[in-house]
Amino acid sequence: MLQNKIQEVFNEPGCAKNQTKSDKERKKGCAKQLQPGAAAGGCAFDGAKIALQPITDVAHLVHGPIACEGNSWDNRGAKSSGSRLYRTGFTTDINELDVVYGGEKHLFKSIKEIIDKYDPPAVFVYQTCVPAMIGDDIEAVCKAASAKFAKPVIPINAPGFVGAKNLGNKLAGEALLDYVIGTEEPESTTPYDINIIGEYNLSGELWQVKPLLEHLGIRILACISGDAKYHEIAQSHRARAAMMVCSKAMINIARKMEERYQIPFFEGSFYGISDTSESLREISRLLVERGAPAELLERTEALIQREEARAWERLAAYKPRLRGKRVLLITGGVKSWSVVAALQEVGMEVVGTSVKKSTAEDKERIKEIMGQDAHMIDDMTPREMYKMLSEAQADIMLSGGRSQFVALKAKVPWLDINQERHHAYAGYEGMVDLVREIDKALYNPIWSQLRKAAPWDAREAAQWLP
Amino acid sequence: MATVTVSHKACTVNPLKMSQPIGGALAFLGLAQCMPMLHGSQGCTAFGLVLFVRHFRESIPLQTTAMNEVATVLGGLDNIGNAILNIQKRANPRIIGICSTGVTETKGDDVDGYLKSFQAAHPELDDLAVVYVSTPDFQDAFQDGWSKAVRNMVDALVEPTAARVAGQVNFLLGSHLTVADIEELREMAAAFGLHATFLPDLSGSLDGHIPDDFSPNTLGGAGLDEIRTMGEAELTIAIGEQMRPAAEALARKTGQPYILLERLTGLEPNDQLLDCLAQLSDAPVPEKYRRQRSQLMDAMLDGHFYFGGKRIAIGAEPDLLWTLATWLTEMGAVVATAVTTTQSPLLEQMACQEVVIGDLEDLEARATDCDLLITHSHGRQAAEHLGIPFLRMGLPIFDRLGATHRLTVGYRGTRDLLFEVGNLLMANTHEHHPESWPLPGGDHARSQIAVG
């Protein structure tokens, strides 16, 4: 069953990278074979949890030993406008006896306790490696619990050892498609209802975009899954159009919702000024195509014009300070060109950008923006990164937390642009914030102090005594 | 004397506990030029790594045997060999510390046997020390993983000897000690002219310094050669009950005597330590510690007003719980609620009515009438719900700076902790108001007069 799901996800026709592969390659799956002793990154369970934990009013129950939840809970930055239940860590914390006798009863009892104590609209049950190995059938337990307690209990079958984070994202999407989406009807619908898919509201980024949509009268029927409520996702099949953010994570949801419910979607980004505008345009275009009044297009253009002007005006202040500063951009590469364009606009020079997860099309786009000799980095070891930074080949590095200390120990300014970050960088507001943060990092007075040698190590000794 | 209760809920809510393998991995992070590795799925390592990065704010060397589904079911011993070869090629450490996980223990890989034949087949790796420890996730907790890893380091690395070097002393350190605590102990030993070895020694690797060059392995810590000669010390001092197995292993191997100090926060335990160091070195207790002792006594005099009768809720691993609960009781506070993660001989002796092996939901439910909540950063939600002051202690502390430089041992560390806790209690004293002292019956009595 799980193997079929995994193959199905690997065959995803909506994935640009996948379409360029041979049958044989496709069968091998998306992830490179992991090398023992030289691997890094999260597992499929981690990916599933990242994708679904942003659903705020659901109890997220992890069926496994303490490691899977105990070592990782409440560490992801998705924000909620309402319920806090998603930040509560639930786990069966299975022990040796469960491993010997099976953990299904333990799981069933745990579901009951959660419903008795917290009465959430649904319980999501995450499978992990150990119970998968001993043969705990979480689908059967969830089915029995749903029937017994008259409440949706949803199995998320993505144990860690089946693959990497990205596969887990997709398996989580499959669970929503199989068990949640389309199971409830909304009270009312409008011609302006959309879904946003693959946006997790990290640091509240959804709220940097939502006012723009609200200004246009566009309603987010469901965001999958940032700041979402269970019922919104259950009713999301009635949206008129969808935007898929962050292409690789949840493409299966977008494509299958189009197939099943005829909801057209496009792939867009809210990072960068032009990308934000383009996404707003595309949302409006799809809605008008689906029957919304055409005047929406004009209103959208008017909003874009006004907000772009406002953003550029605010960015202009930074131009003299940032002109010529060299940036090393290590992003996982999904859509680094959208950030590249914005940084160039304020006069910064991008001296290198990672393309590890970029498609051929993305790479072409980077060349267009950065020129033919664009420095594209496929996979940089920390040692190489350290060398590049300590030789002062860049003035600042933008990356995820993993390489944070490589930059900082080389005494080079660094800014977090990964999912654990504390700042929100979406929409027009977000791009202004990003540039402001870069400016703050670059011009912090600590750098000049740190780069100076201690006086006793300096070439010319200071004279202290008269 | 306390009753030890195991929480009988099926579902753990808001875990206090972390897993055994990452406790073991952290112990290995206290060895120099070491690469710790979890034998499990790559997620096992990723979660531990992120946790440590957030706590220490440092790069964390931590590898994985990257078990996939097939290897997990068919057995992943070859993954260990491949991983060792890969690590050797890429990072070239002196020590690789391997901890098993739930995934590999469910299958039941015979890692010890495999490593023997692997090492025999690879004589070129003779200079590389490999230490393995069995730490299934579905048993025990973080502190146990640390304890077992240190015991196995002693077993695998210390060389048997009958030789003794005068002035040489070993410290075996529990997982609850910070970098600052280790530095304090090092300074103490040096003040008596003793030469001390610390195992594990996080103060070399995770003290947050800026190295001159990039290294993929640990940046410092207890060195392999140093560990090998630990048998030559005159005495081993183990700090924390969790270090007893390692101390006994060392004694068995070298015939060396050891003493075990259950804690180093408070007046008396530090008197004992300094007296012991004085006897060992045959030197008087240096003036600066006499002065610090006097300062601590003065702090106790100034501070005890704010501790007396205060009800404290603590969630911590057994040795940290013991340290805090005993010291707070000595200051006149009442440990109203104690929740811990795993069994320990100390639990029954704890100075409170009940010790629960449970989670933060248990702690929160029992802390409603408390004046202070003490646990790791995950207690932030509980403290918010309860509306009481919150002291972060233990690991992880990810929402405050400087967790590793928090000093709580020695006279000086005790004094600083006393001020920190005292200030939290002081800041939360309730102002009195006209209705603070109602007569029995209160409103009822008054309304009768009004009617009459």
Side-chain angles (χ1 to χ4, degrees), chain A residues 73 89 96 106 113 118 409, chain B residues 10 12 14 64 139 209 361 378:
Chain A
W73 70 285
E96 220 170 359
H106 187 156
E113 282 180 10
Y118 295 89
K409 300 281 184 192
Chain B
T12 292
N14 293 340
T64 169
Q139 275 175 8
H209 66 285
E361 187 190 49
H378 282 304

Side-chain angles (χ1 to χ4, degrees), chain A residues 157-232:
Chain A
N157 202 355
F161 56 40
V162 299
K165 245 187 327 202
N166 186 278
L167 175 63
N169 295 155
K170 295 198 169 64
L171 291 173
E174 291 297 314
L176 293 185
L177 287 161
D178 288 350
Y179 296 101
V180 184
I181 294 167
T183 56
E184 291 177 19
E185 289 299 328
E187 264 177 37
S188 63
T189 59
T190 78
Y192 300 101
D193 290 351
I194 62 161
N195 293 331
I196 297 182
I197 299 167
E199 161 62 48
Y200 303 145
N201 197 31
L202 299 169
S203 305
E205 285 187 334
L206 180 63
W207 303 328
Q208 290 181 311
V209 176
K210 210 173 171 189
L212 297 166
L213 298 171
E214 277 170 355
H215 180 84
L216 295 171
I218 294 169
R219 177 170 79 154
I220 303 175
L221 192 62
C223 178
I224 303 174
S225 58
D227 196 21
K229 296 184 180 66
Y230 179 77
H231 296 300
E232 292 169 356

Side-chain angles (χ1 to χ4, degrees), chain A residues 19 79 96 105 134 259 358 361 441:
Chain A
Q19 281 164 348
K79 297 294 170 215
E96 220 170 359
K105 280 190 184 139
I134 60 175
E259 201 174 274
S358 305
E361 194 187 333

Side-chain angles (χ1 to χ4, degrees), chain A residues 3 33 36-37 41-42 67 71 73-74 87-89 91 93 95-96 106 110 113 117-118 133 161 382 405 409, chain B residues 10-15 17 19 42 46 57-58 63-64 68-69 72 86 137 139 209 214 361 378 380-381:
Chain A
Q3 276 311 320
Q33 202 55 39
N71 297 354
W73 70 285
D74 197 16
R87 284 184 58 200
T88 306
T91 176
D93 181 11
N95 57 32
E96 220 170 359
H106 187 156
S110 297
E113 282 180 10
K117 272 193 276 193
Y118 295 89
M133 283 175 78
F161 56 40
F405 300 102
K409 300 281 184 192
Chain B
C11 184
T12 292
V13 183
N14 293 340
K17 181 170 67 171
S19 75
Q42 67 164 340
R57 297 176 194 264
E58 290 294 316
Q63 260 305 332
T64 169
N68 59 25
E69 197 171 2
T72 304
N86 259 322
D137 293 291
Q139 275 175 8
H209 66 285
F214 181 83
E361 187 190 49
H378 282 304
R380 59 190 176 164
Q381 294 188 57

Side-chain angles (χ1 to χ4, degrees), chain A residues 59-64 89-95 98 103-120 122-126 136 141-142 145 149 151 153, chain B residues 8-13 359 361:
Chain A
H60 299 272
L61 168 61
V62 177
H63 183 40
F90 296 104
T91 176
T92 51
D93 181 11
I94 59 170
N95 57 32
D98 295 313
E104 292 178 355
K105 280 190 184 139
H106 187 156
L107 173 60
F108 188 84
K109 274 191 209 152
S110 297
I111 296 167
K112 179 176 188 310
E113 282 180 10
I114 290 173
I115 291 172
D116 287 348
K117 272 193 276 193
Y118 295 89
D119 193 32
V123 180
F124 282 16
V125 175
Y126 297 79
D136 281 1
V141 175
C142 288
F149 308 120
K151 174 151 312 221
V153 181
Chain B
H8 280 298
K9 298 182 300 189
C11 184
T12 292
V13 183
D359 55 35
E361 187 190 49

Side-chain angles (χ1 to χ4, degrees), chain B residues 68-109:
Chain B
N68 59 25
E69 197 171 2
V70 176
T72 304
V73 176
L74 299 179
L77 290 170
D78 285 340
N79 279 46
I80 298 181
N82 291 336
I84 291 173
L85 293 172
N86 259 322
I87 290 171
Q88 176 67 13
K89 197 169 70 193
R90 294 165 64 109
N92 195 24
R94 287 203 74 185
I95 308 174
I96 296 179
I98 307 174
C99 302
S100 66
T101 62
V103 192
T104 52
E105 291 281 354
T106 302
K107 166 75 172 47
D109 285 348

